[in-house]
Amino acid sequence: MTASDKLVVGSPEDILRRAAAVPEYSGFPTLDELADRFAELERQHPELVSSRRIGTSRLGDPLRMYSIGDGSLSHLIVGGVHPNEPIGSWTAVHLLEQLIRDPGLGKALDAAWHIVPCIDPDGMRLNEGWFAKPGDRTAYFADFYRPAGDEQVEWTFPFDYKNAYFDRMMPETLALARAIDWTQPDLYVPLHNGEMGGVYYYLTRPVPELYEMLHRVPEALGLPLDKGEPEAGHLIELAPAIFTTGSLEEVYDWTESLGLDPFPEGSGGESSSAYAQQYGTLSLIAELPYWLHPDADDTTEIDESYGDLLKRTGRTLADSGAQLVELLERAQPHLTLNSPFMRASSRFVPMLVSSGEMSISRGEQTEAQRPATRAELFGCVEHLHMFRLRFGGMLLRALRAEATSGSASAELRRIADVLGETYESWSRESEDPRIQSIPVSKLVGVQYGAILAGAAHLAGVQ
């Protein structure tokens, strides 16, 4: 018997061993490959795995939930909540495979597990162009797609607060709500990921007992925590790189306090995690980067104030957004296709301006008048690069789709050429020889380890 055989299943050491044992994966599976993989696991193990249809996507794909185990706890794991975030595809596959192969794992964690491989298949198909080469940033941004806010499954749950109201739940959102209602989960893990820097987490409530393990899992796999700029200034940090999800009401009030529109046209609704809280659910989100950068966890102070950093990068982002707004306005009279790329661009392009204005407003606040850290510098600059390349690239896809369909006028082709040149210059500015791609197995390992840590905590495993 080896030392690892003596580990208590679900103990910290066992979780770290399991996270490190994730097999090598080549790229990410396409939607059809993912669906086939789950269907085959159910076919091979009908005595363990069952599935039920929870809905249908807008373009007709069946949405299925796979279940295994009969413990006293209920855990729901959902992939594809944002279709440009496919790390969770392999995490979902690996989790189900391990629960099939290792009955001791399921017994120790005392749960019925419910796994939705992908809740937004229509959106994920529009990202498949870069799935075979996830380390290639050029390919990633060129074939990137993220739905408009009011078409995101994650953010289209009902919301009613002050002047904000949203109730346009999509079929996929209704399916996810149905899955949450059916399973009433103790643990809910929507499988997200980020892009660049380090690992960070969200929890819907403080759970101090989890913080150490959430730090140890990426450390054991050689990945840094992201100690730079958080995704939003209102977030409460529970521990380094661990935040509360907060509420959309808090986002509204915080944005309003900065003098900005808290609910602009095209806004979505509440999150799936907020919807699950009616059942006392603990939601856990592990945000993982595709690429590493040494500055992501460097808290050394730099010779620039945090406020000046926010204002400087905010002005550049707002100016870049204004360029895209001008090109979009010029293109509008010539558009013939109501493509998802154009719908998303119409929402996100103006957001670059408002996001830049938000950074400028934050930079003027009293608490920002302190030295910035190298990690914050990296986070602000990467935020700028990410937004320009994501949404400039999507607008370019939208314009080129018109050309591909044969409906682009001469003026629209000229606008696409101008945007193409601008996009190429932004792409060159984002180049950094210190950027390193991360093996997919390590990313899956962190996400898988975080799921096991949350489940072990709720099961009372010591």
Side-chain angles (χ1 to χ4, degrees):
M1 180 178 289
T2 65
S4 62
D5 290 329
K6 299 177 183 178
L7 295 177
V8 174
V9 176
S11 67
E13 293 74 19
D14 179 60
I15 291 172
L16 294 177
R17 176 181 65 85
R18 292 176 185 274
V22 170
E24 293 296 323
Y25 292 115
S26 177
F28 298 112
T30 66
L31 202 286
D32 290 338
E33 289 168 345
L34 180 64
D36 289 347
R37 188 76 165 257
F38 269 83
E40 182 65 11
L41 288 171
E42 181 182 21
R43 188 192 66 77
Q44 292 176 349
H45 305 279
E47 75 287 359
L48 298 175
V49 181
S50 62
S51 73
R52 65 190 301 183
R53 187 163 175 168
I54 60 173
T56 307
S57 78
R58 284 160 290 171
L59 294 181
D61 265 307
L63 303 173
R64 302 197 70 83
M65 179 172 70
Y66 293 79
S67 300
I68 183 171
D70 58 0
S72 62
L73 298 167
S74 174
H75 300 333
L76 175 62
I77 315 298
V78 179
V81 284
H82 282 139
N84 60 294
E85 301 175 1
I87 293 171
S89 294
W90 282 133
T91 303
V93 169
H94 184 68
L95 174 62
L96 182 56
E97 289 178 341
Q98 294 307 301
L99 290 169
I100 291 170
R101 295 171 183 172
D102 187 353
L105 178 62
K107 182 177 180 181
L109 298 179
D110 188 27
W113 294 83
H114 309 282
I115 304 171
V116 179
C118 180
I119 197 65
D120 186 4
D122 301 348
M124 185 166 278
R125 291 185 192 280
L126 299 180
N127 280 282
E128 290 182 347
W130 59 269
F131 280 8
K133 40 193 173 183
D136 186 334
R137 274 168 59 87
T138 300
Y140 172 76
F141 286 116
D143 284 323
F144 175 91
Y145 169 71
R146 188 179 180 97
D150 55 359
E151 295 185 36
Q152 292 184 16
V153 180
E154 175 63 288
W155 287 103
T156 44
F157 285 78
F159 181 60
D160 183 6
Y161 182 68
K162 292 186 177 178
N163 294 324
Y165 185 81
F166 184 89
D167 63 359
R168 299 187 305 277
M169 295 176 74
M170 303 182 302
E172 296 90 339
T173 314
L174 289 167
L176 181 50
R178 192 173 296 125
I180 293 170
D181 292 338
W182 281 344
T183 60
Q184 299 187 20
D186 295 285
L187 177 68
Y188 170 50
V189 183
L191 296 168
H192 286 271
N193 62 256
E195 287 178 359
M196 168 75 78
V199 177
Y200 59 103
Y201 302 93
Y202 291 111
L203 295 167
T204 44
R205 62 174 183 261
V207 188
E209 301 86 351
L210 267 180
Y211 304 161
E212 181 180 359
M213 272 307 295
L214 294 182
H215 288 161
R216 288 182 66 186
V217 171
E219 179 184 20
L221 290 170
L223 302 186
L225 296 174
D226 194 322
K227 298 180 181 178
E229 179 74 358
E231 288 193 277
H234 74 282
L235 293 168
I236 297 174
E237 189 174 55
L238 300 170
I242 302 175
F243 303 89
T244 57
T245 53
S247 68
L248 196 52
E249 288 87 350
E250 291 170 351
V251 177
Y252 187 108
D253 289 341
W254 175 72
T255 306
E256 190 176 43
S257 73
L258 296 175
L260 302 173
D261 184 354
F263 202 74
E265 182 181 357
S267 295
E270 189 53 278
S271 70
S272 61
S273 297
Y275 182 82
Q277 284 188 283
Q278 65 185 299
Y279 299 111
T281 302
L282 171 65
S283 292
L284 165 62
I285 299 170
E287 296 276 10
L288 313 164
Y290 299 119
W291 300 281
L292 285 178
H293 194 284
D295 290 349
D297 62 348
D298 187 344
T299 56
T300 305
E301 292 184 354
I302 62 173
D303 293 330
E304 183 177 22
S305 74
Y306 184 50
D308 287 345
L309 171 63
L310 286 170
K311 288 185 285 187
R312 175 171 63 83
T313 54
R315 282 191 293 268
T316 304
L317 182 59
D319 290 344
S320 300
Q323 287 181 263
L324 293 179
V325 167
E326 191 267 336
L327 290 173
L328 178 58
E329 288 176 348
R330 284 174 53 191
Q332 288 286 358
H334 306 280
L335 298 174
T336 64
L337 301 177
N338 181 31
S339 71
F341 307 116
M342 184 52 69
R343 293 198 302 273
S345 296
S346 297
R347 301 304 193 204
F348 284 124
V349 163
M351 189 191 75
L352 268 67
V353 178
S354 60
S355 182
E357 292 172 344
M358 183 178 295
S359 291
I360 294 169
S361 296
R362 289 177 57 205
E364 293 171 347
Q365 295 182 326
T366 302
E367 56 266 30
Q369 311 316 311
R370 58 167 177 79
T373 67
R374 190 166 298 281
E376 288 169 338
L377 171 61
F378 163 74
C380 287
V381 172
E382 179 55 30
H383 177 84
L384 166 66
H385 292 322
M386 177 188 72
F387 271 34
R388 295 198 306 192
L389 293 176
R390 270 186 174 191
F391 304 128
M394 270 210 305
L395 179 57
L396 189 57
R397 277 186 90 177
L399 299 183
R400 287 176 173 170
E402 296 269 353
T404 302
S405 72
S407 61
S409 66
E411 176 61 16
L412 193 62
R413 292 196 302 273
R414 281 192 287 270
I415 294 168
D417 289 342
V418 171
L419 176 54
E421 292 173 3
T422 301
Y423 179 83
E424 288 300 320
S425 70
W426 288 344
S427 183
R428 288 192 296 272
E429 286 181 38
S430 74
E431 293 174 359
D432 186 333
R434 296 177 296 170
I435 295 173
Q436 300 177 19
S437 62
I438 304 171
V440 174
S441 60
K442 289 184 179 290
L443 301 173
V444 174
V446 173
Q447 203 165 54
Y448 175 58
I451 292 170
L452 295 184
H457 164 71
L458 291 174
V461 178
Q462 301 297 317

